[in-house]
Amino acid sequence: MTKLLEINGLTTYFYTSGGTVKAVDGISYDLEEGETLAIVGESGCGKSVSALSLMRLIPNPPGEIVDGKIIFMGKDLLSLSDEEMRNIRGKDMGMVFQEPMTSLNPVLTIGLQLTETLIQHLNVTPEDANKRALELMQMVGISDAGRRLSQYPHHLSGGMRQRVMIAMALACEPKLIIADEPTTALDVTIQAQILELMKNLTRDHGIAMIIITHNLGVVARYADRVNVMYAGRIIEKGSAHQIYHNPSHPYTLALLKSVPRMDQPRQAKLDPVDGQPPDLTKLDGGCAFRPRCRYVIDRCAAEIPELEETSDGQLTACWHGGKLNDPLQEAS
């Protein structure tokens, strides 16, 4: 496979009255064509900010991308002009935002919002854009698509609005789609439909996808590889199989053990992650997870561990080197 995306040392800060928020603190990863990568972590760990940084949509002020490289299709996105970046957004790179009701313009029809992207990037006539918009609506499973194009976002249900967002992301047949918590506001059955739709569309069209989520069930079913984030850093990387069967960071293990398991007795209690996420304005020179970690040692307070390989392609940022005494397998 060919590398589509390569991120090196991406660092994004927010400068606030309360201090500097290190929202993304030197993350690096890559993505191959047609691959699905999941970015997992609690709220506030930097998942969404990393995606907005990739799209260069960080509001400045107060935010700023202070360091790093984002190589997409051979181009460093951070070196491009605003106009050049606008030509990439929507055409080569699409994004499905977390809340479709706030992402769609409430005073414009669905059809106008879909055709605008097509006319801007593909230079087609309004008639051809309308035909393509109708095809996209049908592709994402919206019934009576012709009538829906003339309606406004408030006429549609949450699931249908999310389908429209997916149609907009697919409109110009991009190489990469970023899905930021694409099913947060939807009920469970609609969540499954949306995720299956996205997986099938990306597979059929050879589109790479980044799924940002805190839902570990989504990761298990749809991701090829996983990045686990904590306090603005990637603390574990690996294939979905490796992450689930042999978690090598205490935080990853804690996340997995806090999820209900079908193979456990019904009366079994969940094992939650203790404590609260750290204040990103007050990070020190040690591991950010140590106040909540059951494996903490003296070295954790003195140095921040870097990602190191623990097995074939799996990396972890932990002084235990992935050798935890309580592997997930023992709980099953």
Side-chain angles (χ1 to χ4, degrees):
M1 287 188 177
T2 305
K3 278 189 182 179
L4 177 69
L5 173 70
E6 190 170 358
I7 294 177
N8 293 310
L10 180 62
T11 305
T12 303
Y13 291 168
F14 288 85
Y15 302 101
T16 71
S17 58
T20 299
V21 179
K22 298 180 178 180
V24 177
D25 195 11
I27 67 171
S28 300
Y29 64 88
D30 55 52
L31 182 69
E32 296 180 344
E33 293 181 355
E35 185 179 30
T36 297
L37 171 72
I39 301 179
V40 182
E42 295 170 293
S43 296
C45 72
K47 305 187 303 295
S48 295
V49 175
S50 68
L52 292 173
S53 300
L54 178 53
M55 297 287 286
R56 274 186 50 184
L57 292 174
I58 297 294
N60 186 0
E64 182 184 5
I65 301 173
V66 299
D67 197 10
K69 287 188 176 182
I70 302 172
I71 309 298
F72 177 67
M73 297 176 62
K75 298 178 181 177
D76 185 358
L77 300 187
L78 298 183
S79 68
L80 300 182
S81 66
D82 290 343
E83 181 64 28
E84 289 172 324
M85 193 63 209
R86 277 193 293 271
N87 290 332
I88 288 177
R89 285 192 216 107
K91 182 181 180 182
D92 297 316
M93 186 187 299
M95 187 162 183
V96 181
F97 291 92
Q98 187 166 349
E99 176 45 68
M101 199 63 214
T102 58
S103 303
L104 294 168
N105 192 320
V107 299
L108 299 179
T109 64
I110 298 299
L112 184 57
Q113 295 185 63
L114 263 174
T115 56
E116 180 183 35
T117 302
L118 294 164
I119 293 170
Q120 171 71 29
H121 291 295
L122 301 184
N123 197 27
V124 297
T125 64
E127 292 76 16
D128 288 339
N130 283 323
K131 289 179 182 177
R132 174 62 175 162
L134 186 62
E135 291 174 4
L136 288 164
M137 294 283 276
Q138 293 169 341
M139 185 189 299
V140 298
I142 294 179
S143 59
D144 199 5
R147 182 169 66 90
R148 298 298 185 188
L149 286 172
S150 63
Q151 293 184 324
Y152 292 85
H154 68 271
H155 290 134
L156 277 59
S157 68
M160 291 177 72
R161 288 195 296 267
Q162 196 65 297
R163 288 172 188 264
V164 169
M165 290 297 300
I166 295 170
M168 292 175 69
L170 289 167
C172 298
E173 298 184 357
K175 298 292 185 183
L176 170 64
I177 289 180
I178 303 170
D180 185 4
E181 300 277 9
T183 60
T184 295
L186 307 177
D187 63 63
V188 176
T189 54
I190 301 300
Q191 283 185 27
Q193 292 174 16
I194 293 294
L195 290 164
E196 286 293 337
L197 169 67
M198 293 184 68
K199 185 64 175 178
N200 291 337
L201 289 172
T202 53
R203 183 184 62 241
D204 295 343
H205 295 272
I207 300 170
M209 182 163 60
I210 297 175
I211 300 179
I212 297 169
T213 184
H214 59 263
N215 187 330
L216 294 172
V218 169
V219 176
R221 184 171 177 83
Y222 300 102
D224 300 313
R225 287 193 294 134
V226 182
N227 290 344
V228 182
M229 284 192 72
Y230 190 81
R233 290 172 167 259
I234 294 175
I235 51 93
E236 184 165 3
K237 293 181 182 181
S239 68
H241 184 272
Q242 289 171 327
I243 296 295
Y244 276 81
H245 289 84
N246 186 32
S248 57
H249 193 283
Y251 177 61
T252 309
L253 179 62
L255 285 179
L256 291 170
K257 293 186 72 172
S258 67
V259 176
R261 291 169 58 101
M262 296 297 290
D263 58 353
Q264 294 295 302
R266 293 183 63 181
Q267 65 272 21
K269 293 183 178 181
L270 294 180
D271 186 10
V273 185
D274 297 328
Q276 297 294 324
D279 183 342
L280 297 184
T281 65
K282 298 177 180 177
L283 298 176
D284 57 22
C287 175
F289 185 60
R290 72 180 187 278
R292 311 171 70 186
C293 183
R294 299 175 184 179
Y295 300 87
V296 66
I297 57 177
D298 291 342
R299 192 177 183 185
C300 299
E303 301 175 70
I304 299 175
E306 299 294 332
L307 283 167
E308 294 185 357
E309 189 165 351
T310 59
S311 60
D312 185 24
Q314 185 175 4
L315 294 91
T316 188
C318 179
W319 294 123
H320 289 282
K323 297 177 181 178
L324 304 179
N325 297 326
D326 185 18
L328 192 66
Q329 299 93 303
E330 293 182 7
S332 60

